[in-house]
Amino acid sequence: MKPLEGIRILDLSRVVSGPFCTMLLGDLGAEVIKIEEPRAGDDSRAFGPPFVGGESAYFLSVNRNKQSCCIDLKSEEGRALIVQMAEQADVLVENFRPGTLERLGLGRAMLRAANPRLILCSITGFGRTGPDADRPGYDLVIQGECGFMDITGFPDGPPTKAGTSIADLVTGLYASQGILAAVIERQRSGMGGTVDLSMLDCMASLLTFNAGIYFATGSSPERRGNVHPTIAPYETFRAADGWLNVGVANDKFWKLFCDAVDLPGLAQDARFRAAPDRVAHRAALVPEIEARLRGEPRAHWLERLVRAGVPCGAIRSVGEVCEAAQLTQRGMVVTLPHASAGPVQNILSPFRFDDRPLACHSAPPRHGEHTGQALSQWCGLDAAAVAGLAERRVVRILDGDAAP
């Protein structure tokens, strides 16, 4: 039995932040009904290439352990179905722009009146209040607005975004954490509540020591590439055949590092003896290390540094990570059978209970794959009623899908 079995999630979100949140909850055992627009579904179904069997690889990466139920929220009958489903749900997740649900006639007050125990989680770009509340918030925009891009990249290069949708994903993580806290609170109070997540707020919270530098000095940190502002050497170096990271985070590791790379003179040099000294004299220190590490292959240095206990690691490609024994042997890569895409591989959530990964996962759903099943179980509709709704284009069902 998974930790969240018995928790019902009504998921009105799309693209990444909300779907990532609900996928995490689904991984933990919650029943997730993904509500999609009947014509095209979640926007990310069209993100590509690549497509596998007509399915977007992008969509497949953040939607496992869900059922797809297609309902037209712009129709009166469709909205009535959502209210019925909200009455049965523990949590409703949405990431529309502020005011959208209210304009659809599905505002917070009405949904809470229908189900006082309902937890409503709203994800927005900039928050439900403040001067930017009405602005659309996409990952790239938020990465720039939160200061993240200004400190990412090299000093002589342009601001750079992260290589993944970090603003979406971090917000999804925070949202799942907030929902779980609200579920615990409901156990005490018996009442539901609201959880509001702003992508900007979530990303700004990650500034941590960078914000601390600004608050302490009044000066904004500048782009440093792969260099840490207060630790050295804590950065990326080129070996003879590739790149590696070295994390010498204290004086103990400094001595071990110098021994491992046969540079004992550096450990004795007064300019580099203590951590603050190495930061102050970084310009003299780094060329010495670079010259040494370029002389041997990456594997040579990794073997020596690992054996010495020095924090280090290779710069791996995504492909190398997906095939890495450290992940595959721990059950972090799963293959899920999909009716259209064939075998779909996902990297799982990192949850482990009693030192075991979560088991029994279902493939991301096809568009409208579970409409009949969901409307039967959540709304009590029979096959004829579902078929009638489909004829009126209130819902969309796949061929052969009907209420049991």
Side-chain angles (χ1 to χ4, degrees), residues 137-192:
Y138 280 85
D139 182 88
L140 175 65
V141 174
I142 299 299
Q143 285 200 41
E145 290 275 354
C146 75
F148 191 87
M149 288 178 65
D150 190 54
I151 56 173
T152 304
F154 288 88
D156 56 351
T160 304
K161 68 182 284 293
T164 190
S165 302
I166 187 70
D168 283 318
L169 299 175
V170 164
T171 303
L173 285 166
Y174 271 129
S176 64
Q177 182 177 355
I179 288 168
L180 294 177
V183 169
I184 294 172
E185 171 60 23
R186 188 180 64 182
Q187 292 175 348
R188 291 195 290 259
S189 69
M191 299 294 290

Tab-separated table of all heavy atoms in Angstrom, residues 137-192:
chain	number	residue	atom	x	y	z
A	137	GLY	N	2.682	33.521	-16.535
A	137	GLY	CA	3.998	33.132	-16.036
A	137	GLY	C	4.477	31.834	-16.637
A	137	GLY	O	4.043	30.768	-16.218
A	138	TYR	N	5.362	31.926	-17.618
A	138	TYR	CA	5.983	30.732	-18.176
A	138	TYR	C	7.396	30.593	-17.609
A	138	TYR	O	8.003	31.577	-17.165
A	138	TYR	CB	6.008	30.795	-19.699
A	138	TYR	CG	4.683	30.410	-20.323
A	138	TYR	CD1	3.672	31.352	-20.483
A	138	TYR	CD2	4.429	29.097	-20.723
A	138	TYR	CE1	2.444	31.000	-21.032
A	138	TYR	CE2	3.213	28.742	-21.279
A	138	TYR	CZ	2.228	29.696	-21.429
A	138	TYR	OH	1.015	29.330	-21.963
A	139	ASP	N	7.906	29.387	-17.660
A	139	ASP	CA	9.180	29.085	-17.009
A	139	ASP	C	10.286	30.057	-17.402
A	139	ASP	O	10.979	30.592	-16.536
A	139	ASP	CB	9.595	27.653	-17.358
A	139	ASP	CG	10.885	27.241	-16.687
A	139	ASP	OD1	10.832	26.745	-15.555
A	139	ASP	OD2	11.963	27.428	-17.301
A	140	LEU	N	10.460	30.300	-18.690
A	140	LEU	CA	11.526	31.199	-19.142
A	140	LEU	C	11.355	32.587	-18.552
A	140	LEU	O	12.323	33.213	-18.090
A	140	LEU	CB	11.531	31.269	-20.674
A	140	LEU	CG	12.521	32.262	-21.291
A	140	LEU	CD1	13.958	31.831	-20.998
A	140	LEU	CD2	12.294	32.392	-22.785
A	141	VAL	N	10.132	33.092	-18.561
A	141	VAL	CA	9.853	34.425	-18.027
A	141	VAL	C	10.203	34.485	-16.547
A	141	VAL	O	10.853	35.432	-16.075
A	141	VAL	CB	8.380	34.795	-18.262
A	141	VAL	CG1	8.038	36.119	-17.589
A	141	VAL	CG2	8.070	34.850	-19.757
A	142	ILE	N	9.789	33.467	-15.801
A	142	ILE	CA	10.033	33.464	-14.355
A	142	ILE	C	11.517	33.329	-14.055
A	142	ILE	O	12.034	33.970	-13.130
A	142	ILE	CB	9.244	32.326	-13.686
A	142	ILE	CG1	7.738	32.519	-13.901
A	142	ILE	CG2	9.563	32.260	-12.193
A	142	ILE	CD1	7.166	33.791	-13.320
A	143	GLN	N	12.242	32.512	-14.817
A	143	GLN	CA	13.683	32.386	-14.583
A	143	GLN	C	14.378	33.729	-14.708
A	143	GLN	O	15.346	34.013	-13.994
A	143	GLN	CB	14.294	31.381	-15.565
A	143	GLN	CG	13.990	29.934	-15.252
A	143	GLN	CD	14.970	28.975	-15.909
A	143	GLN	OE1	16.176	29.230	-15.946
A	143	GLN	NE2	14.464	27.861	-16.421
A	144	GLY	N	13.895	34.569	-15.619
A	144	GLY	CA	14.476	35.899	-15.744
A	144	GLY	C	14.033	36.830	-14.637
A	144	GLY	O	14.853	37.541	-14.036
A	145	GLU	N	12.754	36.823	-14.330
A	145	GLU	CA	12.201	37.772	-13.364
A	145	GLU	C	12.683	37.508	-11.939
A	145	GLU	O	12.721	38.413	-11.116
A	145	GLU	CB	10.669	37.713	-13.400
A	145	GLU	CG	10.048	38.274	-14.671
A	145	GLU	CD	9.855	39.776	-14.618
A	145	GLU	OE1	10.101	40.378	-13.546
A	145	GLU	OE2	9.451	40.348	-15.642
A	146	CYS	N	13.044	36.255	-11.622
A	146	CYS	CA	13.414	35.928	-10.243
A	146	CYS	C	14.891	36.153	-9.951
A	146	CYS	O	15.345	35.911	-8.831
A	146	CYS	CB	13.056	34.470	-9.935
A	146	CYS	SG	14.185	33.279	-10.699
A	147	GLY	N	15.670	36.602	-10.936
A	147	GLY	CA	17.096	36.825	-10.728
A	147	GLY	C	17.966	35.631	-11.058
A	147	GLY	O	19.197	35.741	-11.081
A	148	PHE	N	17.335	34.491	-11.348
A	148	PHE	CA	18.091	33.254	-11.582
A	148	PHE	C	18.991	33.377	-12.808
A	148	PHE	O	20.166	32.995	-12.769
A	148	PHE	CB	17.093	32.102	-11.752
A	148	PHE	CG	17.699	30.737	-11.746
A	148	PHE	CD1	17.897	30.057	-10.551
A	148	PHE	CD2	18.078	30.111	-12.923
A	148	PHE	CE1	18.457	28.782	-10.537
A	148	PHE	CE2	18.629	28.850	-12.918
A	148	PHE	CZ	18.822	28.183	-11.722
A	149	MET	N	18.459	33.908	-13.900
A	149	MET	CA	19.254	33.994	-15.127
A	149	MET	C	20.397	34.995	-15.006
A	149	MET	O	21.438	34.841	-15.647
A	149	MET	CB	18.361	34.350	-16.315
A	149	MET	CG	17.459	33.211	-16.750
A	149	MET	SD	16.360	33.629	-18.113
A	149	MET	CE	17.552	33.925	-19.441
A	150	ASP	N	20.215	36.013	-14.177
A	150	ASP	CA	21.253	37.032	-14.036
A	150	ASP	C	22.502	36.484	-13.354
A	150	ASP	O	23.592	37.029	-13.532
A	150	ASP	CB	20.718	38.221	-13.251
A	150	ASP	CG	21.664	39.403	-13.283
A	150	ASP	OD1	22.039	39.829	-14.403
A	150	ASP	OD2	22.061	39.891	-12.204
A	151	ILE	N	22.343	35.398	-12.579
A	151	ILE	CA	23.508	34.813	-11.911
A	151	ILE	C	23.909	33.485	-12.546
A	151	ILE	O	24.754	32.764	-12.005
A	151	ILE	CB	23.247	34.616	-10.407
A	151	ILE	CG1	22.003	33.771	-10.167
A	151	ILE	CG2	23.127	35.954	-9.701
A	151	ILE	CD1	21.775	33.399	-8.704
A	152	THR	N	23.326	33.159	-13.700
A	152	THR	CA	23.640	31.911	-14.392
A	152	THR	C	24.304	32.217	-15.729
A	152	THR	O	23.777	32.994	-16.526
A	152	THR	CB	22.373	31.077	-14.627
A	152	THR	OG1	21.729	30.847	-13.371
A	152	THR	CG2	22.711	29.738	-15.266
A	153	GLY	N	25.451	31.599	-15.984
A	153	GLY	CA	26.221	31.884	-17.182
A	153	GLY	C	27.591	32.430	-16.810
A	153	GLY	O	27.912	32.589	-15.628
A	154	PHE	N	28.381	32.706	-17.820
A	154	PHE	CA	29.736	33.198	-17.579
A	154	PHE	C	29.773	34.719	-17.593
A	154	PHE	O	28.924	35.366	-18.231
A	154	PHE	CB	30.694	32.603	-18.615
A	154	PHE	CG	30.960	31.144	-18.370
A	154	PHE	CD1	30.144	30.164	-18.916
A	154	PHE	CD2	32.017	30.751	-17.554
A	154	PHE	CE1	30.375	28.816	-18.669
A	154	PHE	CE2	32.261	29.405	-17.308
A	154	PHE	CZ	31.432	28.443	-17.859
A	155	PRO	N	30.744	35.309	-16.897
A	155	PRO	CA	30.779	36.771	-16.769
A	155	PRO	C	30.777	37.518	-18.098
A	155	PRO	O	30.199	38.596	-18.202
A	155	PRO	CB	32.096	37.021	-16.004
A	155	PRO	CG	32.350	35.753	-15.262
A	155	PRO	CD	31.831	34.653	-16.135
A	156	ASP	N	31.408	36.933	-19.118
A	156	ASP	CA	31.489	37.617	-20.413
A	156	ASP	C	30.416	37.145	-21.385
A	156	ASP	O	30.454	37.453	-22.573
A	156	ASP	CB	32.870	37.406	-21.038
A	156	ASP	CG	33.223	35.931	-21.195
A	156	ASP	OD1	32.482	35.081	-20.675
A	156	ASP	OD2	34.249	35.641	-21.837
A	157	GLY	N	29.438	36.390	-20.885
A	157	GLY	CA	28.368	35.885	-21.737
A	157	GLY	C	27.019	36.430	-21.332
A	157	GLY	O	26.890	37.190	-20.367
A	158	PRO	N	25.964	36.054	-22.057
A	158	PRO	CA	24.631	36.559	-21.768
A	158	PRO	C	24.017	35.832	-20.572
A	158	PRO	O	24.490	34.756	-20.193
A	158	PRO	CB	23.852	36.230	-23.045
A	158	PRO	CG	24.519	34.992	-23.559
A	158	PRO	CD	25.981	35.168	-23.232
A	159	PRO	N	22.965	36.383	-19.987
A	159	PRO	CA	22.217	35.630	-18.976
A	159	PRO	C	21.746	34.309	-19.569
A	159	PRO	O	21.403	34.229	-20.744
A	159	PRO	CB	21.027	36.551	-18.660
A	159	PRO	CG	21.453	37.906	-19.103
A	159	PRO	CD	22.376	37.705	-20.260
A	160	THR	N	21.717	33.267	-18.747
A	160	THR	CA	21.451	31.918	-19.245
A	160	THR	C	20.401	31.230	-18.384
A	160	THR	O	20.469	31.282	-17.161
A	160	THR	CB	22.743	31.089	-19.223
A	160	THR	OG1	23.757	31.769	-19.971
A	160	THR	CG2	22.519	29.710	-19.831
A	161	LYS	N	19.429	30.594	-19.035
A	161	LYS	CA	18.443	29.812	-18.309
A	161	LYS	C	19.011	28.454	-17.939
A	161	LYS	O	20.010	28.003	-18.522
A	161	LYS	CB	17.166	29.634	-19.137
A	161	LYS	CG	17.351	28.761	-20.379
A	161	LYS	CD	16.072	28.639	-21.203
A	161	LYS	CE	15.078	27.714	-20.601
A	161	LYS	NZ	15.507	26.301	-20.591
A	162	ALA	N	18.385	27.803	-16.984
A	162	ALA	CA	18.766	26.434	-16.654
A	162	ALA	C	18.375	25.513	-17.806
A	162	ALA	O	17.459	25.811	-18.578
A	162	ALA	CB	18.075	25.990	-15.368
A	163	GLY	N	19.034	24.365	-17.886
A	163	GLY	CA	18.785	23.440	-18.979
A	163	GLY	C	17.513	22.640	-18.834
A	163	GLY	O	17.176	21.854	-19.715
A	164	THR	N	16.783	22.825	-17.734
A	164	THR	CA	15.484	22.190	-17.542
A	164	THR	C	14.504	23.250	-17.077
A	164	THR	O	14.895	24.377	-16.757
A	164	THR	CB	15.590	21.036	-16.525
A	164	THR	OG1	14.377	20.289	-16.522
A	164	THR	CG2	15.859	21.558	-15.119
A	165	SER	N	13.214	22.891	-17.016
A	165	SER	CA	12.180	23.864	-16.637
A	165	SER	C	12.155	24.013	-15.123
A	165	SER	O	11.183	23.657	-14.442
A	165	SER	CB	10.818	23.404	-17.160
A	165	SER	OG	10.843	23.244	-18.554
A	166	ILE	N	13.217	24.580	-14.591
A	166	ILE	CA	13.433	24.589	-13.151
A	166	ILE	C	12.335	25.338	-12.400
A	166	ILE	O	11.923	24.933	-11.308
A	166	ILE	CB	14.830	25.167	-12.820
A	166	ILE	CG1	15.162	25.024	-11.337
A	166	ILE	CG2	14.950	26.612	-13.260
A	166	ILE	CD1	15.413	23.623	-10.908
A	167	ALA	N	11.812	26.433	-12.959
A	167	ALA	CA	10.759	27.187	-12.268
A	167	ALA	C	9.482	26.369	-12.170
A	167	ALA	O	8.812	26.346	-11.127
A	167	ALA	CB	10.498	28.509	-12.986
A	168	ASP	N	9.121	25.694	-13.243
A	168	ASP	CA	7.949	24.823	-13.213
A	168	ASP	C	8.129	23.688	-12.217
A	168	ASP	O	7.232	23.369	-11.428
A	168	ASP	CB	7.712	24.215	-14.601
A	168	ASP	CG	7.085	25.190	-15.570
A	168	ASP	OD1	6.167	25.921	-15.180
A	168	ASP	OD2	7.519	25.212	-16.739
A	169	LEU	N	9.282	23.047	-12.257
A	169	LEU	CA	9.496	21.854	-11.454
A	169	LEU	C	9.591	22.178	-9.976
A	169	LEU	O	9.023	21.465	-9.132
A	169	LEU	CB	10.755	21.128	-11.935
A	169	LEU	CG	10.709	20.661	-13.393
A	169	LEU	CD1	12.047	20.069	-13.818
A	169	LEU	CD2	9.592	19.656	-13.613
A	170	VAL	N	10.293	23.250	-9.630
A	170	VAL	CA	10.394	23.644	-8.224
A	170	VAL	C	9.019	24.019	-7.682
A	170	VAL	O	8.660	23.674	-6.555
A	170	VAL	CB	11.389	24.806	-8.061
A	170	VAL	CG1	11.228	25.476	-6.706
A	170	VAL	CG2	12.816	24.285	-8.216
A	171	THR	N	8.230	24.717	-8.502
A	171	THR	CA	6.889	25.079	-8.059
A	171	THR	C	6.039	23.835	-7.834
A	171	THR	O	5.282	23.750	-6.862
A	171	THR	CB	6.217	26.003	-9.093
A	171	THR	OG1	7.032	27.163	-9.289
A	171	THR	CG2	4.840	26.432	-8.622
A	172	GLY	N	6.168	22.837	-8.718
A	172	GLY	CA	5.449	21.591	-8.518
A	172	GLY	C	5.851	20.884	-7.233
A	172	GLY	O	5.008	20.318	-6.525
A	173	LEU	N	7.143	20.925	-6.922
A	173	LEU	CA	7.616	20.330	-5.667
A	173	LEU	C	7.026	21.042	-4.467
A	173	LEU	O	6.525	20.415	-3.522
A	173	LEU	CB	9.147	20.383	-5.614
A	173	LEU	CG	9.905	19.397	-6.483
A	173	LEU	CD1	11.377	19.787	-6.586
A	173	LEU	CD2	9.791	17.986	-5.911
A	174	TYR	N	7.082	22.383	-4.472
A	174	TYR	CA	6.512	23.151	-3.374
A	174	TYR	C	5.007	22.900	-3.257
A	174	TYR	O	4.459	22.802	-2.157
A	174	TYR	CB	6.755	24.644	-3.577
A	174	TYR	CG	8.044	25.177	-3.010
A	174	TYR	CD1	8.909	25.937	-3.792
A	174	TYR	CD2	8.390	24.965	-1.688
A	174	TYR	CE1	10.086	26.460	-3.286
A	174	TYR	CE2	9.567	25.483	-1.162
A	174	TYR	CZ	10.410	26.228	-1.955
A	174	TYR	OH	11.572	26.741	-1.436
A	175	ALA	N	4.328	22.798	-4.392
A	175	ALA	CA	2.883	22.589	-4.374
A	175	ALA	C	2.540	21.254	-3.724
A	175	ALA	O	1.615	21.167	-2.898
A	175	ALA	CB	2.318	22.647	-5.789
A	176	SER	N	3.274	20.204	-4.071
A	176	SER	CA	2.993	18.898	-3.467
A	176	SER	C	3.246	18.946	-1.963
A	176	SER	O	2.489	18.364	-1.173
A	176	SER	CB	3.837	17.808	-4.127
A	176	SER	OG	5.221	18.005	-3.903
A	177	GLN	N	4.275	19.656	-1.550
A	177	GLN	CA	4.572	19.783	-0.122
A	177	GLN	C	3.459	20.557	0.587
A	177	GLN	O	3.012	20.171	1.684
A	177	GLN	CB	5.909	20.490	0.073
A	177	GLN	CG	6.349	20.626	1.518
A	177	GLN	CD	7.717	21.271	1.646
A	177	GLN	OE1	8.391	21.545	0.661
A	177	GLN	NE2	8.137	21.523	2.871
A	178	GLY	N	2.997	21.637	-0.038
A	178	GLY	CA	1.914	22.418	0.563
A	178	GLY	C	0.631	21.621	0.681
A	178	GLY	O	-0.097	21.724	1.681
A	179	ILE	N	0.327	20.835	-0.342
A	179	ILE	CA	-0.882	20.002	-0.318
A	179	ILE	C	-0.806	18.990	0.813
A	179	ILE	O	-1.782	18.791	1.562
A	179	ILE	CB	-1.068	19.309	-1.679
A	179	ILE	CG1	-1.513	20.334	-2.733
A	179	ILE	CG2	-2.072	18.169	-1.576
A	179	ILE	CD1	-1.454	19.821	-4.151
A	180	LEU	N	0.321	18.336	0.970
A	180	LEU	CA	0.456	17.341	2.030
A	180	LEU	C	0.323	17.993	3.406
A	180	LEU	O	-0.289	17.412	4.321
A	180	LEU	CB	1.795	16.617	1.903
A	180	LEU	CG	1.955	15.754	0.653
A	180	LEU	CD1	3.343	15.132	0.599
A	180	LEU	CD2	0.898	14.671	0.593
A	181	ALA	N	0.864	19.199	3.558
A	181	ALA	CA	0.699	19.915	4.828
A	181	ALA	C	-0.774	20.233	5.080
A	181	ALA	O	-1.269	20.121	6.207
A	181	ALA	CB	1.528	21.194	4.828
A	182	ALA	N	-1.494	20.620	4.014
A	182	ALA	CA	-2.913	20.936	4.158
A	182	ALA	C	-3.726	19.692	4.501
A	182	ALA	O	-4.708	19.764	5.255
A	182	ALA	CB	-3.436	21.581	2.874
A	183	VAL	N	-3.336	18.537	3.953
A	183	VAL	CA	-4.027	17.289	4.285
A	183	VAL	C	-3.844	16.961	5.769
A	183	VAL	O	-4.792	16.553	6.459
A	183	VAL	CB	-3.512	16.128	3.409
A	183	VAL	CG1	-4.008	14.777	3.925
A	183	VAL	CG2	-3.942	16.324	1.958
A	184	ILE	N	-2.644	17.167	6.282
A	184	ILE	CA	-2.388	16.930	7.702
A	184	ILE	C	-3.192	17.907	8.558
A	184	ILE	O	-3.792	17.531	9.576
A	184	ILE	CB	-0.884	17.035	8.004
A	184	ILE	CG1	-0.123	15.894	7.310
A	184	ILE	CG2	-0.626	17.006	9.508
A	184	ILE	CD1	1.373	16.018	7.381
A	185	GLU	N	-3.227	19.166	8.155
A	185	GLU	CA	-4.004	20.166	8.896
A	185	GLU	C	-5.487	19.801	8.902
A	185	GLU	O	-6.179	19.982	9.914
A	185	GLU	CB	-3.789	21.543	8.272
A	185	GLU	CG	-4.701	22.647	8.803
A	185	GLU	CD	-4.552	22.895	10.295
A	185	GLU	OE1	-3.488	22.553	10.866
A	185	GLU	OE2	-5.509	23.430	10.894
A	186	ARG	N	-5.989	19.275	7.794
A	186	ARG	CA	-7.399	18.894	7.729
A	186	ARG	C	-7.722	17.775	8.709
A	186	ARG	O	-8.843	17.682	9.235
A	186	ARG	CB	-7.761	18.465	6.312
A	186	ARG	CG	-9.259	18.242	6.101
A	186	ARG	CD	-9.565	17.822	4.687
A	186	ARG	NE	-8.974	16.531	4.351
A	186	ARG	CZ	-9.071	15.958	3.155
A	186	ARG	NH1	-9.728	16.564	2.176
A	186	ARG	NH2	-8.516	14.788	2.930
A	187	GLN	N	-6.761	16.915	8.978
A	187	GLN	CA	-6.976	15.855	9.964
A	187	GLN	C	-7.253	16.440	11.345
A	187	GLN	O	-7.989	15.851	12.144
A	187	GLN	CB	-5.759	14.924	10.014
A	187	GLN	CG	-5.559	14.095	8.755
A	187	GLN	CD	-4.285	13.271	8.801
A	187	GLN	OE1	-3.432	13.477	9.665
A	187	GLN	NE2	-4.141	12.343	7.875
A	188	ARG	N	-6.661	17.603	11.626
A	188	ARG	CA	-6.882	18.242	12.914
A	188	ARG	C	-8.164	19.059	12.939
A	188	ARG	O	-8.926	19.026	13.899
A	188	ARG	CB	-5.696	19.147	13.264
A	188	ARG	CG	-4.409	18.398	13.559
A	188	ARG	CD	-3.406	19.296	14.235
A	188	ARG	NE	-2.901	20.313	13.320
A	188	ARG	CZ	-1.710	20.226	12.716
A	188	ARG	NH1	-0.946	19.169	12.910
A	188	ARG	NH2	-1.304	21.186	11.914
A	189	SER	N	-8.407	19.813	11.843
A	189	SER	CA	-9.524	20.766	11.840
A	189	SER	C	-10.812	20.204	11.258
A	189	SER	O	-11.902	20.708	11.552
A	189	SER	CB	-9.134	22.010	11.045
A	189	SER	OG	-9.021	21.705	9.652
A	190	GLY	N	-10.678	19.176	10.415
A	190	GLY	CA	-11.847	18.647	9.729
A	190	GLY	C	-12.274	19.475	8.532
A	190	GLY	O	-13.246	19.132	7.854
A	191	MET	N	-11.581	20.548	8.254
A	191	MET	CA	-11.942	21.453	7.173
A	191	MET	C	-10.818	21.540	6.139
A	191	MET	O	-9.641	21.384	6.462
A	191	MET	CB	-12.228	22.858	7.715
A	191	MET	CG	-13.378	22.916	8.711
A	191	MET	SD	-14.956	22.506	7.934
A	191	MET	CE	-15.173	23.962	6.890
A	192	GLY	N	-11.214	21.790	4.900
A	192	GLY	CA	-10.232	22.001	3.843
A	192	GLY	C	-9.624	23.393	3.936
A	192	GLY	O	-9.760	24.097	4.934
